[in-house]
Amino acid sequence: QRLNPKPHTLSPHLSHNHYENSFCYPGTHDNETSQGWYDAQDDATKLRMATYANITDAEGAAWGFIRLGMASVSKATVFTMQDVLSLGNEARMNTPGVADGNWAWRVGAPGVFATAGAEAKKLAKLAAAFDRVAETGPQAPPTLELETETELGKGNEKETAAAGGESSK
């Protein structure tokens, strides 16, 4: 047991207190976006976040929370598309107990993901850094079957063409 722990460091919501058999998520459809929540905090809270999680203005709170979730020991981390896009509370999905104005936010018009290349690269980098890339199953990246030197020596037409050479067949 810790000696004289600070009450705020014991919170099960802090990533250093997570356990493996859990899900980590900074928010759901029922609360503010991560950026919206952070923007509404006082300077003391923002300073604690900067100190604990190294959240900077350059990275943004939403991506800081995504990074924390990816770094967590939790089996899975889940985050909203609003956080991936670094949106504020204008993109909030639902406010429990309020009848009107919910479920109106949409990610964008068809083709919106064609403009999200930077976000996709950030997610891929974090997934690789924190070993969150599937190794098996439908989400696993395709594996390349390498041919043996003997097979390559036979002038494999596909390999020769892929290398920019002419095929002898």
Side-chain angles (χ1 to χ4, degrees):
Q1 183 156 49
R2 299 178 190 161
L3 297 177
N4 300 321
K6 296 177 184 174
H8 67 275
T9 63
L10 298 177
S11 170
H13 306 294
L14 294 175
S15 59
H16 70 271
N17 291 328
H18 292 172
Y19 52 93
E20 186 177 5
N21 191 23
S22 66
F23 278 72
C24 174
Y25 49 94
T28 71
H29 61 274
D30 280 339
N31 56 270
E32 296 177 271
T33 65
S34 292
Q35 191 65 50
W37 175 85
Y38 182 83
D39 289 344
Q41 300 309 299
D42 60 33
D43 289 340
T45 301
K46 289 179 181 179
L47 180 60
R48 275 200 319 272
M49 293 301 302
T51 302
Y52 176 78
N54 196 32
I55 289 177
T56 65
D57 288 339
E59 178 185 45
W63 277 96
F65 284 118
I66 291 171
R67 177 178 42 78
L68 280 176
M70 292 280 217
S72 169
V73 298
S74 296
K75 268 287 195 219
T77 185
V78 180
F79 34 85
T80 66
M81 196 64 190
Q82 291 93 324
D83 286 348
V84 171
L85 297 173
S86 300
L87 299 176
N89 284 336
E90 73 280 0
R92 184 173 180 159
M93 184 61 78
N94 186 44
T95 302
V98 175
D100 295 324
N102 291 317
W103 303 100
W105 183 81
R106 298 292 181 260
V107 71
V112 69
F113 293 110
T115 64
E119 290 85 356
K121 286 179 183 176
K122 282 196 242 181
L123 287 173
K125 185 177 177 181
L126 288 172
F130 296 112
D131 198 25
R132 291 195 177 270
V133 178
E135 294 179 13
T136 62
Q139 284 77 34
T143 57
L144 299 175
E145 292 184 27
L146 299 176
E147 297 180 18
T148 64
E149 283 186 38
T150 307
E151 290 171 325
L152 289 174
K154 292 182 180 177
N156 183 306
E157 186 173 340
K158 289 180 187 174
E159 288 296 322
T160 305
E166 301 254 344
S167 176
S168 60
K169 293 184 180 178

